Amino acid sequence: EFLMNSNNFNFGVKQSGAKIGDVQLPPWAATPEDFIRINREALESDYVSAHLHEWIDLIFGFKQRGRFAVESYNVFYYLTYEGMVDIDSIKDPDMRRATEAQIDNFGQTPTQLFKRRQHPCRNLPDYTPSPHSTSIFKKPYPQAYYRQITKSP
């Protein structure tokens, strides 16, 4: 329902002049319901459950900042990090507006919740990934890449 503009709200137009309406679905989703079903299956899959802790480490954990972030290719512009700039201390109005615009347009990195250790892996004793999986959610990189970003400190 949220992917369709059934109330015909005016979301403006694209640079091409085309009206912005419903969310454009990827080719593998026939309908909005299909899109939701496929994404729900992916998010509830054993593969995601087995690797969710890696995502938590990148977004909220010890791989968000510092050496582990660099090693994990997880580094962002300094203004996106919480506490990196005190807007109230910027006296130059142009610099203040530019800094606020940077933050408004590119967002902020979430608060780092886990600073000292890896987030624990969910225990899935029956999970064995199949090399012949037909899922559209296969890993896009070779196994060596994942060994590199998940190696222990």
Short mmCIF file of all heavy atoms in Angstrom, two decimals, residues 28-65:
data_model
loop_
_atom_site.label_atom_id
_atom_site.label_comp_id
_atom_site.label_asym_id
_atom_site.label_seq_id
_atom_site.Cartn_x
_atom_site.Cartn_y
_atom_site.Cartn_z
N TRP A 28 12.19 -7.84 -11.03
CA TRP A 28 11.88 -9.14 -10.46
C TRP A 28 10.62 -9.14 -9.59
O TRP A 28 10.21 -10.18 -9.08
CB TRP A 28 13.07 -9.68 -9.66
CG TRP A 28 13.73 -8.72 -8.73
CD1 TRP A 28 14.85 -7.98 -8.98
CD2 TRP A 28 13.31 -8.38 -7.40
NE1 TRP A 28 15.15 -7.20 -7.89
CE2 TRP A 28 14.23 -7.43 -6.90
CE3 TRP A 28 12.26 -8.78 -6.59
CZ2 TRP A 28 14.12 -6.87 -5.64
CZ3 TRP A 28 12.15 -8.23 -5.32
CH2 TRP A 28 13.08 -7.29 -4.86
N ALA A 29 10.00 -7.97 -9.41
CA ALA A 29 8.76 -7.89 -8.62
C ALA A 29 7.62 -7.50 -9.54
O ALA A 29 7.61 -6.43 -10.13
CB ALA A 29 8.92 -6.87 -7.50
N ALA A 30 6.63 -8.38 -9.66
CA ALA A 30 5.51 -8.13 -10.56
C ALA A 30 4.52 -7.12 -10.00
O ALA A 30 3.92 -6.35 -10.75
CB ALA A 30 4.79 -9.45 -10.86
N THR A 31 4.37 -7.11 -8.68
CA THR A 31 3.40 -6.23 -8.02
C THR A 31 4.02 -5.73 -6.71
O THR A 31 5.01 -6.29 -6.22
CB THR A 31 2.10 -6.98 -7.67
OG1 THR A 31 2.41 -7.99 -6.69
CG2 THR A 31 1.47 -7.61 -8.89
N PRO A 32 3.43 -4.69 -6.10
CA PRO A 32 3.93 -4.26 -4.78
C PRO A 32 3.87 -5.38 -3.75
O PRO A 32 4.78 -5.53 -2.93
CB PRO A 32 3.00 -3.11 -4.40
CG PRO A 32 2.53 -2.56 -5.70
CD PRO A 32 2.42 -3.76 -6.61
N GLU A 33 2.84 -6.19 -3.81
CA GLU A 33 2.71 -7.31 -2.87
C GLU A 33 3.82 -8.34 -3.09
O GLU A 33 4.37 -8.90 -2.14
CB GLU A 33 1.34 -7.98 -3.00
CG GLU A 33 0.17 -7.10 -2.59
CD GLU A 33 -0.24 -6.05 -3.63
OE1 GLU A 33 0.17 -6.15 -4.80
OE2 GLU A 33 -0.97 -5.11 -3.25
N ASP A 34 4.15 -8.57 -4.35
CA ASP A 34 5.24 -9.47 -4.71
C ASP A 34 6.56 -8.94 -4.18
O ASP A 34 7.38 -9.68 -3.63
CB ASP A 34 5.28 -9.64 -6.23
CG ASP A 34 6.16 -10.78 -6.68
OD1 ASP A 34 6.16 -11.84 -6.01
OD2 ASP A 34 6.83 -10.63 -7.72
N PHE A 35 6.78 -7.64 -4.32
CA PHE A 35 8.00 -6.99 -3.82
C PHE A 35 8.13 -7.20 -2.30
O PHE A 35 9.19 -7.58 -1.80
CB PHE A 35 7.96 -5.50 -4.15
CG PHE A 35 9.12 -4.72 -3.64
CD1 PHE A 35 10.32 -4.68 -4.34
CD2 PHE A 35 9.03 -4.00 -2.46
CE1 PHE A 35 11.40 -3.96 -3.88
CE2 PHE A 35 10.11 -3.26 -1.99
CZ PHE A 35 11.30 -3.25 -2.70
N ILE A 36 7.05 -6.97 -1.58
CA ILE A 36 7.05 -7.15 -0.12
C ILE A 36 7.29 -8.61 0.24
O ILE A 36 8.10 -8.93 1.12
CB ILE A 36 5.72 -6.66 0.49
CG1 ILE A 36 5.53 -5.16 0.25
CG2 ILE A 36 5.65 -6.99 1.98
CD1 ILE A 36 6.58 -4.27 0.86
N ARG A 37 6.63 -9.53 -0.45
CA ARG A 37 6.79 -10.96 -0.16
C ARG A 37 8.23 -11.41 -0.35
O ARG A 37 8.81 -12.09 0.51
CB ARG A 37 5.86 -11.79 -1.05
CG ARG A 37 5.97 -13.30 -0.82
CD ARG A 37 5.21 -14.11 -1.87
NE ARG A 37 5.60 -13.83 -3.24
CZ ARG A 37 6.72 -14.29 -3.82
NH1 ARG A 37 7.56 -15.05 -3.14
NH2 ARG A 37 7.00 -13.99 -5.07
N ILE A 38 8.83 -11.02 -1.46
CA ILE A 38 10.20 -11.44 -1.75
C ILE A 38 11.18 -10.86 -0.74
O ILE A 38 12.07 -11.55 -0.24
CB ILE A 38 10.60 -11.06 -3.19
CG1 ILE A 38 9.79 -11.90 -4.19
CG2 ILE A 38 12.09 -11.23 -3.43
CD1 ILE A 38 9.91 -11.43 -5.63
N ASN A 39 11.01 -9.58 -0.40
CA ASN A 39 11.89 -8.97 0.59
C ASN A 39 11.69 -9.57 1.97
O ASN A 39 12.66 -9.76 2.71
CB ASN A 39 11.69 -7.45 0.61
CG ASN A 39 12.47 -6.78 -0.48
OD1 ASN A 39 13.66 -6.56 -0.33
ND2 ASN A 39 11.81 -6.48 -1.58
N ARG A 40 10.46 -9.89 2.32
CA ARG A 40 10.21 -10.53 3.62
C ARG A 40 10.88 -11.90 3.68
O ARG A 40 11.51 -12.26 4.68
CB ARG A 40 8.71 -10.67 3.86
CG ARG A 40 8.41 -11.38 5.19
CD ARG A 40 6.94 -11.41 5.49
NE ARG A 40 6.53 -10.07 5.87
CZ ARG A 40 5.31 -9.59 5.68
NH1 ARG A 40 4.36 -10.33 5.14
NH2 ARG A 40 5.01 -8.38 6.07
N GLU A 41 10.77 -12.67 2.59
CA GLU A 41 11.43 -13.98 2.54
C GLU A 41 12.94 -13.83 2.70
O GLU A 41 13.58 -14.62 3.40
CB GLU A 41 11.12 -14.69 1.22
CG GLU A 41 9.71 -15.24 1.14
CD GLU A 41 9.40 -15.84 -0.23
OE1 GLU A 41 10.31 -15.95 -1.08
OE2 GLU A 41 8.23 -16.19 -0.45
N ALA A 42 13.50 -12.83 2.05
CA ALA A 42 14.95 -12.62 2.17
C ALA A 42 15.33 -12.24 3.59
O ALA A 42 16.27 -12.80 4.16
CB ALA A 42 15.39 -11.52 1.19
N LEU A 43 14.61 -11.29 4.18
CA LEU A 43 14.95 -10.83 5.53
C LEU A 43 14.73 -11.89 6.60
O LEU A 43 15.39 -11.87 7.64
CB LEU A 43 14.17 -9.56 5.86
CG LEU A 43 14.57 -8.34 5.05
CD1 LEU A 43 13.61 -7.19 5.29
CD2 LEU A 43 16.00 -7.93 5.35
N GLU A 44 13.83 -12.81 6.34
CA GLU A 44 13.56 -13.88 7.30
C GLU A 44 14.33 -15.16 6.99
O GLU A 44 14.16 -16.17 7.67
CB GLU A 44 12.05 -14.17 7.34
CG GLU A 44 11.25 -13.01 7.90
CD GLU A 44 9.75 -13.20 7.79
OE1 GLU A 44 9.31 -14.21 7.21
OE2 GLU A 44 9.03 -12.34 8.30
N SER A 45 15.21 -15.11 6.01
CA SER A 45 15.94 -16.31 5.59
C SER A 45 17.02 -16.69 6.59
O SER A 45 17.49 -15.86 7.38
CB SER A 45 16.58 -16.09 4.22
OG SER A 45 17.67 -15.18 4.33
N ASP A 46 17.43 -17.94 6.54
CA ASP A 46 18.52 -18.41 7.38
C ASP A 46 19.82 -17.68 7.05
O ASP A 46 20.62 -17.39 7.93
CB ASP A 46 18.72 -19.92 7.22
CG ASP A 46 17.64 -20.73 7.91
OD1 ASP A 46 16.92 -20.16 8.76
OD2 ASP A 46 17.51 -21.92 7.60
N TYR A 47 20.03 -17.38 5.77
CA TYR A 47 21.27 -16.68 5.38
C TYR A 47 21.35 -15.31 6.07
O TYR A 47 22.38 -14.97 6.64
CB TYR A 47 21.34 -16.50 3.85
CG TYR A 47 22.59 -15.76 3.45
CD1 TYR A 47 23.79 -16.45 3.29
CD2 TYR A 47 22.60 -14.38 3.28
CE1 TYR A 47 24.96 -15.78 2.96
CE2 TYR A 47 23.76 -13.71 2.96
CZ TYR A 47 24.93 -14.41 2.79
OH TYR A 47 26.08 -13.74 2.49
N VAL A 48 20.28 -14.55 6.03
CA VAL A 48 20.29 -13.23 6.67
C VAL A 48 20.44 -13.39 8.18
O VAL A 48 21.23 -12.67 8.81
CB VAL A 48 19.02 -12.42 6.31
CG1 VAL A 48 18.91 -11.18 7.17
CG2 VAL A 48 19.05 -12.05 4.83
N SER A 49 19.73 -14.33 8.76
CA SER A 49 19.85 -14.56 10.21
C SER A 49 21.28 -14.93 10.58
O SER A 49 21.80 -14.49 11.61
CB SER A 49 18.91 -15.67 10.66
OG SER A 49 17.58 -15.25 10.55
N ALA A 50 21.93 -15.73 9.75
CA ALA A 50 23.30 -16.16 10.04
C ALA A 50 24.32 -15.03 9.87
O ALA A 50 25.42 -15.11 10.42
CB ALA A 50 23.68 -17.33 9.14
N HIS A 51 23.97 -13.99 9.12
CA HIS A 51 24.93 -12.92 8.84
C HIS A 51 24.50 -11.56 9.38
O HIS A 51 25.22 -10.56 9.19
CB HIS A 51 25.18 -12.82 7.33
CG HIS A 51 25.85 -14.03 6.79
ND1 HIS A 51 27.21 -14.19 6.84
CD2 HIS A 51 25.35 -15.14 6.21
CE1 HIS A 51 27.52 -15.36 6.30
NE2 HIS A 51 26.41 -15.97 5.93
N LEU A 52 23.39 -11.49 10.08
CA LEU A 52 22.89 -10.22 10.59
C LEU A 52 23.88 -9.54 11.53
O LEU A 52 24.03 -8.32 11.52
CB LEU A 52 21.54 -10.43 11.28
CG LEU A 52 20.84 -9.16 11.77
CD1 LEU A 52 20.52 -8.24 10.61
CD2 LEU A 52 19.57 -9.54 12.52
N HIS A 53 24.59 -10.33 12.30
CA HIS A 53 25.56 -9.77 13.24
C HIS A 53 26.66 -8.98 12.52
O HIS A 53 27.19 -8.02 13.06
CB HIS A 53 26.17 -10.86 14.12
CG HIS A 53 27.02 -11.83 13.38
ND1 HIS A 53 26.50 -12.79 12.53
CD2 HIS A 53 28.36 -11.97 13.32
CE1 HIS A 53 27.49 -13.48 12.00
NE2 HIS A 53 28.63 -13.01 12.45
N GLU A 54 26.98 -9.37 11.29
CA GLU A 54 28.00 -8.65 10.52
C GLU A 54 27.50 -7.25 10.16
O GLU A 54 28.24 -6.27 10.21
CB GLU A 54 28.37 -9.43 9.26
CG GLU A 54 29.02 -10.77 9.56
CD GLU A 54 29.09 -11.68 8.35
OE1 GLU A 54 28.80 -11.22 7.23
OE2 GLU A 54 29.44 -12.86 8.54
N TRP A 55 26.24 -7.16 9.78
CA TRP A 55 25.63 -5.87 9.48
C TRP A 55 25.58 -4.99 10.73
O TRP A 55 25.88 -3.80 10.67
CB TRP A 55 24.23 -6.10 8.90
CG TRP A 55 23.52 -4.82 8.59
CD1 TRP A 55 23.66 -4.04 7.49
CD2 TRP A 55 22.54 -4.18 9.41
NE1 TRP A 55 22.83 -2.95 7.57
CE2 TRP A 55 22.13 -3.01 8.75
CE3 TRP A 55 21.98 -4.48 10.65
CZ2 TRP A 55 21.19 -2.14 9.27
CZ3 TRP A 55 21.03 -3.61 11.17
CH2 TRP A 55 20.65 -2.46 10.48
N ILE A 56 25.20 -5.59 11.86
CA ILE A 56 25.15 -4.84 13.12
C ILE A 56 26.52 -4.28 13.46
O ILE A 56 26.65 -3.12 13.88
CB ILE A 56 24.59 -5.73 14.27
CG1 ILE A 56 23.11 -6.01 14.00
CG2 ILE A 56 24.78 -5.05 15.63
CD1 ILE A 56 22.50 -7.05 14.91
N ASP A 57 27.58 -5.09 13.27
CA ASP A 57 28.94 -4.60 13.52
C ASP A 57 29.28 -3.40 12.64
O ASP A 57 29.96 -2.47 13.08
CB ASP A 57 29.97 -5.71 13.29
CG ASP A 57 29.94 -6.78 14.37
OD1 ASP A 57 29.44 -6.51 15.48
OD2 ASP A 57 30.42 -7.90 14.09
N LEU A 58 28.86 -3.42 11.38
CA LEU A 58 29.15 -2.31 10.47
C LEU A 58 28.35 -1.05 10.81
O LEU A 58 28.90 0.05 10.80
CB LEU A 58 28.83 -2.71 9.02
CG LEU A 58 29.76 -3.71 8.37
CD1 LEU A 58 29.16 -4.20 7.06
CD2 LEU A 58 31.13 -3.10 8.13
N ILE A 59 27.08 -1.19 11.11
CA ILE A 59 26.21 -0.03 11.29
C ILE A 59 26.27 0.51 12.72
O ILE A 59 26.36 1.72 12.91
CB ILE A 59 24.75 -0.39 10.93
CG1 ILE A 59 24.67 -0.94 9.51
CG2 ILE A 59 23.83 0.82 11.11
CD1 ILE A 59 25.20 -0.02 8.42
N PHE A 60 26.22 -0.36 13.71
CA PHE A 60 26.15 0.08 15.11
C PHE A 60 27.35 -0.34 15.94
O PHE A 60 27.45 0.05 17.10
CB PHE A 60 24.90 -0.49 15.78
CG PHE A 60 23.62 -0.09 15.12
CD1 PHE A 60 22.91 -0.99 14.35
CD2 PHE A 60 23.12 1.19 15.27
CE1 PHE A 60 21.72 -0.64 13.75
CE2 PHE A 60 21.93 1.56 14.67
CZ PHE A 60 21.23 0.65 13.90
N GLY A 61 28.24 -1.13 15.39
CA GLY A 61 29.27 -1.75 16.20
C GLY A 61 30.68 -1.27 15.97
O GLY A 61 30.93 -0.17 15.46
N PHE A 62 31.62 -2.13 16.30
CA PHE A 62 33.03 -1.78 16.33
C PHE A 62 33.60 -1.51 14.94
O PHE A 62 34.68 -0.93 14.82
CB PHE A 62 33.85 -2.85 17.08
CG PHE A 62 34.09 -4.11 16.27
CD1 PHE A 62 35.36 -4.36 15.76
CD2 PHE A 62 33.09 -5.03 16.05
CE1 PHE A 62 35.61 -5.50 15.03
CE2 PHE A 62 33.32 -6.17 15.32
CZ PHE A 62 34.58 -6.42 14.81
N LYS A 63 32.89 -1.89 13.87
CA LYS A 63 33.37 -1.62 12.52
C LYS A 63 32.80 -0.32 11.96
O LYS A 63 32.93 -0.04 10.78
CB LYS A 63 33.02 -2.78 11.59
CG LYS A 63 33.79 -4.04 11.88
CD LYS A 63 33.45 -5.12 10.88
CE LYS A 63 34.28 -6.38 11.15
NZ LYS A 63 33.95 -7.43 10.17
N GLN A 64 32.20 0.50 12.81
CA GLN A 64 31.64 1.76 12.34
C GLN A 64 32.70 2.85 12.24
O GLN A 64 32.60 3.73 11.40
CB GLN A 64 30.52 2.24 13.27
CG GLN A 64 29.81 3.47 12.75
CD GLN A 64 28.95 4.13 13.78
OE1 GLN A 64 29.46 4.85 14.64
NE2 GLN A 64 27.64 3.89 13.70
N ARG A 65 33.69 2.81 13.10
CA ARG A 65 34.72 3.85 13.15
C ARG A 65 36.10 3.23 13.34
O ARG A 65 36.23 2.10 13.78
CB ARG A 65 34.47 4.81 14.31
CG ARG A 65 33.20 5.58 14.22
CD ARG A 65 33.07 6.51 15.40
NE ARG A 65 31.82 7.23 15.36
CZ ARG A 65 31.64 8.43 15.85
NH1 ARG A 65 32.63 9.05 16.44
NH2 ARG A 65 30.48 9.02 15.77
#
